[in-house]
Amino acid sequence: MRSFDTLLFTALAASPALARQVPANVQSLYNSIRAQGSCKNILKGGFYSQEGDSKNFSYCGDHLNDYGIMYLQGTNGNLVNMDIDCDGALGTGDGSCDSSQDTQGETSFKDTITSYKAGIKDLNAYIHSFVVLGNEGSKSGYVTFEPESVGVDPLSLVAVVCGNKMFYGVWGDTNGDDGPPLVGEVSDALGRACYGSAVNGNAAHDANDVLYIAFTGAGAVPGAKGANWSASSFTDFESSLGALGDSLVARIGSSGSPPPPASSTKPSGSQPTCSWSGHCAGAKCSSDDDCSDDLVCKSGKCATDS
Ligand SMILES: *[C@@H]1O[C@H](CO)[C@@H](O)[C@H](O)[C@H]1NC(C)=O
Ligand SMILES: *[C@@H]1O[C@H](CO)[C@@H](O)[C@H](O)[C@H]1NC(C)=O
């Protein structure tokens, strides 16, 4: 058995864009979300999956408190589609994005990527597996949402179920107000891992059957050392997220571990409330990113910045 397993693994590992099997707990989450039809705990609604369709798509918090996840969902059993993001440092890929008019040159968390000192200055849509989440803009009628408001950190791990496969990526870019408020977009490299040459900078996967799962908490952020940021291929970067992704995905479903526990250092007698449970005033922290809302990390504890 052992040698057979090893042989099989080696054969799979050698193929490009190795897909992960959708684990049973993730498949049953996928099925239950679609069977439920629409989101009950809408964190923010009013988004489009593609231009011209209905504003029926939302950031959903139905499993924010039990599994520590947020995902995108439509109505009538729909999830969302997959558009292709061509942002970031280009030039090393196969040109799939080159004719797209939708390139912006840099991604939202470029400064953090640079600060990782990993030999890259920005994400590359041809290499890095990343997902676009959050909507930022000031144009009238543009609906905004910050995933940070529910405890999802920039550059944290996102699991994507597409075409009966699963991939890990990071939250690497944000939707802007250069059109209607859209949701459901990934880097070119991740899109092609899911759907091959059927997608590119100008061609989306239109079916609303893609599940994007973002994980709350500082523990979902791989950080400078937790991913191979300087990888030269999608497969090398994606596989470097495997151990963290598997541990987060294990939170999903009754057999998984519970989400990160609420801090045990709450001041006694009071029940601080904030949008990110366990990260309110008084909770332990190592940086401002560990604290909810506008709280900052002072002497190892989340506190108001005054
Ligand atoms: C949008 O949601 C409304 C209310 O649930 C529903 O009546 C309508 O059919 C939905 N539209 C689409 C295109 O799914
Ligand atoms: C990252 O991936 C590249 C190949 O894409 C490899 O050469 C390098 O050793 C990897 N780095 C780490 C830290 O695994």
Side-chain angles (χ1 to χ4, degrees):
M1 276 311 280
R2 179 110 199 130
S3 61
F4 174 74
D5 284 347
T6 309
L7 194 67
L8 184 64
F9 178 77
T10 309
L12 287 171
S15 68
L18 173 62
R20 295 170 195 283
Q21 279 196 332
V22 183
N25 63 333
V26 175
Q27 188 63 54
S28 68
L29 174 73
Y30 182 99
N31 296 344
S32 75
I33 293 170
R34 297 205 71 172
Q36 184 176 302
S38 57
C39 180
K40 290 184 183 136
N41 177 22
I42 292 178
L43 302 168
K44 193 68 179 272
F47 296 94
Y48 295 86
S49 179
Q50 53 178 297
E51 291 192 34
D53 67 2
S54 69
K55 277 184 142 192
N56 277 10
F57 299 85
S58 65
Y59 290 88
C60 184
D62 283 359
H63 290 291
L64 194 57
N65 296 322
D66 52 357
Y67 308 156
I69 60 170
M70 176 191 86
Y71 48 83
L72 296 163
Q73 187 171 6
T75 55
N76 302 327
N78 284 308
L79 294 168
V80 298
N81 78 343
M82 180 177 279
D83 294 317
I84 303 302
D85 185 313
C86 293
D87 289 359
L90 296 178
T92 56
D94 66 0
S96 148
C97 277
D98 290 354
S99 62
S100 167
Q101 303 300 305
D102 187 32
T103 55
Q104 300 194 342
E106 51 184 57
T107 61
S108 299
F109 310 119
K110 180 178 192 281
D111 292 349
T112 309
I113 294 290
T114 304
S115 78
Y116 286 167
K117 299 197 185 346
I120 57 164
K121 291 194 155 58
D122 197 355
L123 297 174
N124 183 329
Y126 286 148
I127 294 176
H128 295 104
S129 180
F130 70 80
V131 177
V132 183
L133 292 172
N135 293 73
E136 265 177 24
S138 52
K139 279 195 191 141
S140 113
Y142 193 79
V143 189
T144 63
F145 177 72
E146 290 186 0
E148 293 97 324
S149 68
V150 295
V152 174
D153 288 342
L155 297 170
S156 61
L157 192 134
V158 181
V160 178
V161 180
C162 51
N164 295 318
K165 297 179 264 194
M166 184 175 81
F167 295 97
Y168 296 135
V170 293
W171 171 26
D173 209 0
T174 307
N175 296 287
D177 62 1
D178 53 333
L182 289 168
V183 288
E185 188 171 359
V186 301
S187 60
D188 184 74
L190 176 52
R192 283 181 296 130
C194 292
Y195 299 112
S197 55
V199 297
N200 59 57
N202 296 312
H205 170 78
D206 288 333
N208 290 313
D209 60 2
V210 183
L211 178 61
Y212 302 93
I213 308 169
F215 296 86
T216 61
V221 181
K225 304 268 182 251
N228 188 349
W229 300 105
S230 64
S232 54
S233 71
F234 171 84
T235 301
D236 289 340
F237 177 70
E238 199 277 348
S239 59
S240 77
L241 298 169
L244 177 62
D246 290 350
S247 73
L248 293 167
V249 155
R251 296 199 320 214
I252 296 169
S254 52
S255 61
S257 336
S263 168
S264 54
T265 58
K266 277 178 194 161
S268 57
S270 67
Q271 281 293 334
T273 52
C274 67
S275 65
W276 184 14
S277 148
H279 301 261
C280 304
K284 262 194 216 159
C285 55
S286 51
S287 79
D288 293 353
D289 289 343
D290 299 335
C291 301
S292 184
D293 307 309
D294 293 332
L295 299 175
V296 296
C297 191
K298 274 189 199 164
S299 321
K301 288 194 176 170
C302 295
T304 49
D305 187 14
S306 51

PDB file of all heavy atoms in Angstrom, residues 40-57:
ATOM      1  N   LYS A  40     -28.870  33.643   5.255  1.00  0.00           N
ATOM      2  CA  LYS A  40     -29.720  34.168   6.337  1.00  0.00           C
ATOM      3  C   LYS A  40     -29.043  35.344   7.025  1.00  0.00           C
ATOM      4  O   LYS A  40     -29.685  36.339   7.326  1.00  0.00           O
ATOM      5  CB  LYS A  40     -29.982  33.068   7.371  1.00  0.00           C
ATOM      6  CG  LYS A  40     -30.888  31.975   6.838  1.00  0.00           C
ATOM      7  CD  LYS A  40     -31.191  30.945   7.935  1.00  0.00           C
ATOM      8  CE  LYS A  40     -32.035  29.810   7.376  1.00  0.00           C
ATOM      9  NZ  LYS A  40     -31.564  28.495   7.838  1.00  0.00           N
ATOM     10  N   ASN A  41     -27.761  35.209   7.315  1.00  0.00           N
ATOM     11  CA  ASN A  41     -27.030  36.284   8.002  1.00  0.00           C
ATOM     12  C   ASN A  41     -26.205  37.057   6.971  1.00  0.00           C
ATOM     13  O   ASN A  41     -25.000  36.847   6.823  1.00  0.00           O
ATOM     14  CB  ASN A  41     -26.143  35.697   9.105  1.00  0.00           C
ATOM     15  CG  ASN A  41     -25.314  36.767   9.810  1.00  0.00           C
ATOM     16  OD1 ASN A  41     -25.656  37.958   9.784  1.00  0.00           O
ATOM     17  ND2 ASN A  41     -24.224  36.355  10.421  1.00  0.00           N
ATOM     18  N   ILE A  42     -26.917  37.931   6.228  1.00  0.00           N
ATOM     19  CA  ILE A  42     -26.234  38.715   5.186  1.00  0.00           C
ATOM     20  C   ILE A  42     -25.380  39.786   5.857  1.00  0.00           C
ATOM     21  O   ILE A  42     -25.882  40.638   6.578  1.00  0.00           O
ATOM     22  CB  ILE A  42     -27.267  39.348   4.226  1.00  0.00           C
ATOM     23  CG1 ILE A  42     -27.958  38.240   3.421  1.00  0.00           C
ATOM     24  CG2 ILE A  42     -26.597  40.364   3.293  1.00  0.00           C
ATOM     25  CD1 ILE A  42     -29.038  38.740   2.474  1.00  0.00           C
ATOM     26  N   LEU A  43     -24.065  39.704   5.622  1.00  0.00           N
ATOM     27  CA  LEU A  43     -23.152  40.700   6.196  1.00  0.00           C
ATOM     28  C   LEU A  43     -23.259  41.998   5.411  1.00  0.00           C
ATOM     29  O   LEU A  43     -23.253  43.074   5.977  1.00  0.00           O
ATOM     30  CB  LEU A  43     -21.718  40.168   6.176  1.00  0.00           C
ATOM     31  CG  LEU A  43     -21.522  38.853   6.936  1.00  0.00           C
ATOM     32  CD1 LEU A  43     -20.158  38.238   6.632  1.00  0.00           C
ATOM     33  CD2 LEU A  43     -21.705  39.056   8.439  1.00  0.00           C
ATOM     34  N   LYS A  44     -23.347  41.876   4.076  1.00  0.00           N
ATOM     35  CA  LYS A  44     -23.629  43.010   3.200  1.00  0.00           C
ATOM     36  C   LYS A  44     -24.165  42.459   1.897  1.00  0.00           C
ATOM     37  O   LYS A  44     -23.573  41.546   1.323  1.00  0.00           O
ATOM     38  CB  LYS A  44     -22.348  43.830   2.951  1.00  0.00           C
ATOM     39  CG  LYS A  44     -22.596  45.187   2.319  1.00  0.00           C
ATOM     40  CD  LYS A  44     -23.326  46.125   3.277  1.00  0.00           C
ATOM     41  CE  LYS A  44     -23.574  47.509   2.710  1.00  0.00           C
ATOM     42  NZ  LYS A  44     -22.452  48.440   2.953  1.00  0.00           N
ATOM     43  N   GLY A  45     -25.296  42.982   1.453  1.00  0.00           N
ATOM     44  CA  GLY A  45     -25.896  42.543   0.199  1.00  0.00           C
ATOM     45  C   GLY A  45     -25.855  43.658  -0.829  1.00  0.00           C
ATOM     46  O   GLY A  45     -25.321  44.740  -0.579  1.00  0.00           O
ATOM     47  N   GLY A  46     -26.455  43.389  -2.001  1.00  0.00           N
ATOM     48  CA  GLY A  46     -26.541  44.425  -3.027  1.00  0.00           C
ATOM     49  C   GLY A  46     -25.429  44.366  -4.059  1.00  0.00           C
ATOM     50  O   GLY A  46     -25.165  45.334  -4.755  1.00  0.00           O
ATOM     51  N   PHE A  47     -24.778  43.189  -4.176  1.00  0.00           N
ATOM     52  CA  PHE A  47     -23.684  43.052  -5.129  1.00  0.00           C
ATOM     53  C   PHE A  47     -24.138  42.269  -6.359  1.00  0.00           C
ATOM     54  O   PHE A  47     -25.100  41.506  -6.308  1.00  0.00           O
ATOM     55  CB  PHE A  47     -22.497  42.344  -4.465  1.00  0.00           C
ATOM     56  CG  PHE A  47     -21.925  43.140  -3.329  1.00  0.00           C
ATOM     57  CD1 PHE A  47     -22.344  42.915  -2.023  1.00  0.00           C
ATOM     58  CD2 PHE A  47     -21.015  44.149  -3.571  1.00  0.00           C
ATOM     59  CE1 PHE A  47     -21.835  43.667  -0.976  1.00  0.00           C
ATOM     60  CE2 PHE A  47     -20.504  44.910  -2.526  1.00  0.00           C
ATOM     61  CZ  PHE A  47     -20.920  44.669  -1.230  1.00  0.00           C
ATOM     62  N   TYR A  48     -23.415  42.462  -7.454  1.00  0.00           N
ATOM     63  CA  TYR A  48     -23.647  41.732  -8.690  1.00  0.00           C
ATOM     64  C   TYR A  48     -22.573  40.659  -8.852  1.00  0.00           C
ATOM     65  O   TYR A  48     -21.421  40.883  -8.482  1.00  0.00           O
ATOM     66  CB  TYR A  48     -23.533  42.661  -9.901  1.00  0.00           C
ATOM     67  CG  TYR A  48     -24.574  43.745  -9.984  1.00  0.00           C
ATOM     68  CD1 TYR A  48     -24.396  44.960  -9.334  1.00  0.00           C
ATOM     69  CD2 TYR A  48     -25.735  43.563 -10.748  1.00  0.00           C
ATOM     70  CE1 TYR A  48     -25.336  45.974  -9.425  1.00  0.00           C
ATOM     71  CE2 TYR A  48     -26.687  44.571 -10.851  1.00  0.00           C
ATOM     72  CZ  TYR A  48     -26.483  45.775 -10.185  1.00  0.00           C
ATOM     73  OH  TYR A  48     -27.412  46.758 -10.288  1.00  0.00           O
ATOM     74  N   SER A  49     -22.960  39.518  -9.453  1.00  0.00           N
ATOM     75  CA  SER A  49     -21.981  38.499  -9.806  1.00  0.00           C
ATOM     76  C   SER A  49     -21.368  38.855 -11.163  1.00  0.00           C
ATOM     77  O   SER A  49     -20.169  38.717 -11.365  1.00  0.00           O
ATOM     78  CB  SER A  49     -22.650  37.130  -9.841  1.00  0.00           C
ATOM     79  OG  SER A  49     -21.742  36.123 -10.198  1.00  0.00           O
ATOM     80  N   GLN A  50     -22.200  39.302 -12.097  1.00  0.00           N
ATOM     81  CA  GLN A  50     -21.658  39.861 -13.337  1.00  0.00           C
ATOM     82  C   GLN A  50     -22.471  41.081 -13.716  1.00  0.00           C
ATOM     83  O   GLN A  50     -23.616  41.235 -13.279  1.00  0.00           O
ATOM     84  CB  GLN A  50     -21.639  38.832 -14.454  1.00  0.00           C
ATOM     85  CG  GLN A  50     -22.954  38.130 -14.719  1.00  0.00           C
ATOM     86  CD  GLN A  50     -22.840  37.163 -15.879  1.00  0.00           C
ATOM     87  OE1 GLN A  50     -22.578  37.558 -17.001  1.00  0.00           O
ATOM     88  NE2 GLN A  50     -23.024  35.878 -15.607  1.00  0.00           N
ATOM     89  N   GLU A  51     -21.882  41.927 -14.530  1.00  0.00           N
ATOM     90  CA  GLU A  51     -22.565  43.165 -14.915  1.00  0.00           C
ATOM     91  C   GLU A  51     -23.887  42.821 -15.580  1.00  0.00           C
ATOM     92  O   GLU A  51     -23.966  41.914 -16.391  1.00  0.00           O
ATOM     93  CB  GLU A  51     -21.693  43.979 -15.889  1.00  0.00           C
ATOM     94  CG  GLU A  51     -20.483  44.542 -15.201  1.00  0.00           C
ATOM     95  CD  GLU A  51     -19.749  45.593 -16.037  1.00  0.00           C
ATOM     96  OE1 GLU A  51     -20.406  46.332 -16.778  1.00  0.00           O
ATOM     97  OE2 GLU A  51     -18.513  45.658 -15.909  1.00  0.00           O
ATOM     98  N   GLY A  52     -24.936  43.522 -15.183  1.00  0.00           N
ATOM     99  CA  GLY A  52     -26.218  43.344 -15.846  1.00  0.00           C
ATOM    100  C   GLY A  52     -27.120  42.307 -15.204  1.00  0.00           C
ATOM    101  O   GLY A  52     -28.280  42.206 -15.579  1.00  0.00           O
ATOM    102  N   ASP A  53     -26.614  41.491 -14.255  1.00  0.00           N
ATOM    103  CA  ASP A  53     -27.533  40.568 -13.598  1.00  0.00           C
ATOM    104  C   ASP A  53     -28.146  41.245 -12.375  1.00  0.00           C
ATOM    105  O   ASP A  53     -28.131  42.475 -12.287  1.00  0.00           O
ATOM    106  CB  ASP A  53     -26.863  39.219 -13.277  1.00  0.00           C
ATOM    107  CG  ASP A  53     -25.762  39.312 -12.232  1.00  0.00           C
ATOM    108  OD1 ASP A  53     -25.526  40.420 -11.719  1.00  0.00           O
ATOM    109  OD2 ASP A  53     -25.137  38.285 -11.942  1.00  0.00           O
ATOM    110  N   SER A  54     -28.715  40.470 -11.456  1.00  0.00           N
ATOM    111  CA  SER A  54     -29.414  41.085 -10.326  1.00  0.00           C
ATOM    112  C   SER A  54     -28.452  41.441  -9.204  1.00  0.00           C
ATOM    113  O   SER A  54     -27.349  40.906  -9.125  1.00  0.00           O
ATOM    114  CB  SER A  54     -30.460  40.115  -9.795  1.00  0.00           C
ATOM    115  OG  SER A  54     -29.797  39.030  -9.185  1.00  0.00           O
ATOM    116  N   LYS A  55     -28.915  42.342  -8.347  1.00  0.00           N
ATOM    117  CA  LYS A  55     -28.109  42.727  -7.174  1.00  0.00           C
ATOM    118  C   LYS A  55     -28.358  41.748  -6.039  1.00  0.00           C
ATOM    119  O   LYS A  55     -28.532  42.143  -4.897  1.00  0.00           O
ATOM    120  CB  LYS A  55     -28.552  44.115  -6.702  1.00  0.00           C
ATOM    121  CG  LYS A  55     -27.928  45.255  -7.459  1.00  0.00           C
ATOM    122  CD  LYS A  55     -28.369  46.564  -6.818  1.00  0.00           C
ATOM    123  CE  LYS A  55     -27.278  47.582  -6.784  1.00  0.00           C
ATOM    124  NZ  LYS A  55     -27.566  48.725  -5.935  1.00  0.00           N
ATOM    125  N   ASN A  56     -28.405  40.464  -6.333  1.00  0.00           N
ATOM    126  CA  ASN A  56     -28.843  39.467  -5.360  1.00  0.00           C
ATOM    127  C   ASN A  56     -27.694  38.756  -4.663  1.00  0.00           C
ATOM    128  O   ASN A  56     -27.905  37.712  -4.069  1.00  0.00           O
ATOM    129  CB  ASN A  56     -29.700  38.410  -6.064  1.00  0.00           C
ATOM    130  CG  ASN A  56     -31.134  38.870  -6.211  1.00  0.00           C
ATOM    131  OD1 ASN A  56     -31.450  40.022  -5.956  1.00  0.00           O
ATOM    132  ND2 ASN A  56     -32.001  37.960  -6.604  1.00  0.00           N
ATOM    133  N   PHE A  57     -26.498  39.272  -4.744  1.00  0.00           N
ATOM    134  CA  PHE A  57     -25.343  38.547  -4.219  1.00  0.00           C
ATOM    135  C   PHE A  57     -24.790  39.241  -2.977  1.00  0.00           C
ATOM    136  O   PHE A  57     -24.822  40.468  -2.885  1.00  0.00           O
ATOM    137  CB  PHE A  57     -24.288  38.405  -5.318  1.00  0.00           C
ATOM    138  CG  PHE A  57     -24.817  37.637  -6.500  1.00  0.00           C
ATOM    139  CD1 PHE A  57     -25.526  38.285  -7.502  1.00  0.00           C
ATOM    140  CD2 PHE A  57     -24.663  36.266  -6.567  1.00  0.00           C
ATOM    141  CE1 PHE A  57     -26.058  37.570  -8.579  1.00  0.00           C
ATOM    142  CE2 PHE A  57     -25.189  35.542  -7.631  1.00  0.00           C
ATOM    143  CZ  PHE A  57     -25.890  36.202  -8.646  1.00  0.00           C
TER     144      PHE A  57
END
